[in-house]
Every structure is written in C-alpha cells, then in structure tokens.
Amino acid sequence: MPELPEVETIKNELVPHIVGRRVTGVTLCWEGVVRKPSVEEFRSRLIGKTITGLSRRGKYLIFSLSSGEALIIHLKMTGSLLLKPASAEPDKFDRAIVYLDGETELHFRDPRKFGAMWLVNDVNSVVAKLGPEPLDENFSPQVLLERLAKRKAPVKALLFDQNFIAGIGNMYADETLYDARIHPLRSGASLSQEEVERLHHSIQEVLLAAIGNKGASVDTYFRPGGELGTAHFEFRVAHGLGGKLCQRCGTPIERILVRNRGTYFCPKCQPQN
Ligand SMILES: [Zn+2]
C-alpha cells in the first residue's frame, strides 16, 4: 500500500506536469471510484477547471481547483496515478482517466478497486480526523509524547492508526520501530521520554530516507512516469524479511501479528521489557 513517502513522491513528480493545466474531460472506467458527489456532478464540476495546486495530507492527494473546490484521491491498497501522453491506450486496471490540456492524461490505475476520489468544497469533510503530519515542523517529540500518554494500544498499532499520526502504514511502522529499537507490542503509554524522542527521530529519518528513494515499489506502486521507487532495497525488517538476519546483531527477524497486520522485528534489538 502506498504510504506517506510514496504519496509524497507522486505529488512531487506530478506537480510540474499538472499544476496550471485545465481539465478537458473525464472518463470513469469504473464509476465506483467516485465517492462524492454523484458521477454526473463529479464530471460537470471537474471539467473546465484548472488545477491550481497539489498537496498531500496523510495518504491523501489534494488537487486544488480554480473553482475553489478540491479533487481528493486516496490510492488505498493498489492505486497509482500515471501520466500518459494524449490518446494513450487505457490499461485494463484503469478506473478513471482525467484529460488535461497540453496533451496530457492522468490515469488512475487500481487493480483491487479500493481507491477513491472525492470532489468537495471543504477538504476537511474528508481529512479532518487525521492525526498530525509526521514531517510537519509542529510535530515535536513533545507532541508525540502527549499523544502516546494514556494510550494502552501497542505502539505499532498507534503508528499505523491514521487518526493517531497521518501517513504511516504497515511497512514504515515496522522500519521505524526497528530503527528506534522499540518492540512493536509495547504500549504507547509505557514508552519513556527517551524512547519517545528516539521514536520521533526514527519516524522522521525513515520517512525522509524513503522519500529520498522515491518510495518503495513493493506490490503495485509506480511513480507517475511508470518508474519504480527503490526505498524497499533499504528495508531492514519490513515487508516479508522474516527469517533474514538482523543487520545489527545477526538474530533472525521474527514475524508476529499486531491487530492482524504482519509485523517484523528483531527480538534482540527490540526487547519487550
Ligand atoms: Zn537485532
């Protein structure tokens, strides 16, 4: 699933190609991709508008429009946004195609169909509940400490809870906890101030490194030009590295389930007590 580094990469690489472009048409290959408003309204309110900006909030992409409205896209499990030249052949997994002036098309490809689009007046009607942005300058160790206090849930589950902190999913939660040497089942409230500071540092380090590598191309993630990211080559535990040896201490990486998510960690570097 695309997480913050993948969505940030997509945003960064789309901006030079789509900001300032006008929407000249929309094809919905699968109408279920539109959550709000009705399909007819979605088309009529989007066509003719110019994209004035593109930003990211958590794992959501927010396209600002000249009408004051916003097109919001969530890629969920398997979505990608691909830039193609005019009249490109649709892929069998394309769910929507947005045609832009300047001979560009934006194809929303999504094999598993969990992805979604909204056209809204108020962005907060979709993203209001999200937790803080982990790379925002206001996200300090103190903010993280306050959010963890009183939380009995496993820290791994808190990290992938979008209302606790936005943008982190299963892969980067595992990488972050390995980097911070914190066991995934430790409760949020049990972390010492020093551990929280380490965790805060690791969250930012891991996400920034992955953005630097243009995201992780596990499963179906592609960058807008169709290229792959390379962040997964630097994974130390995440995404199926169970049984591999810990790079720090040589202990086999273990797999457990945390809230039903496959979770990888080093039992020696990340002790439970
Ligand atoms: Zn280890």
Side-chain angles (χ1 to χ4, degrees), residues 8 26-27 33 37 42 53 72 81 91 120 127 129 139 141 146 163 170 182 218 224 232 235-236 256:
E8 180 73 10
V26 178
T27 295
V33 71
F42 181 86
I72 303 181
L81 286 172
D91 180 286
V120 295
V127 304
K129 288 187 179 154
F139 179 67
E146 284 162 13
N163 298 339
N170 204 38
I182 294 171
V218 297
H232 53 298
F235 281 173
R236 292 169 293 180
I256 56 172

Side-chain angles (χ1 to χ4, degrees), residues 90-142:
D91 180 286
K92 71 170 174 174
F93 295 125
D94 280 349
R95 306 306 175 200
I97 302 173
V98 178
Y99 305 91
L100 303 171
D101 65 358
E103 308 278 289
T104 302
E105 298 177 4
L106 189 59
H107 291 227
F108 187 177
R109 181 181 187 274
D110 186 18
R112 293 190 62 186
K113 290 188 173 176
F114 291 113
M117 306 169 95
W118 297 257
L119 186 63
V120 295
N121 269 308
D122 178 11
V123 171
N124 276 329
S125 65
V126 178
V127 304
K129 288 187 179 154
L130 291 177
E133 280 295 322
L135 298 177
D136 194 285
E137 60 184 23
N138 297 321
F139 179 67
S140 63
Q142 190 59 30

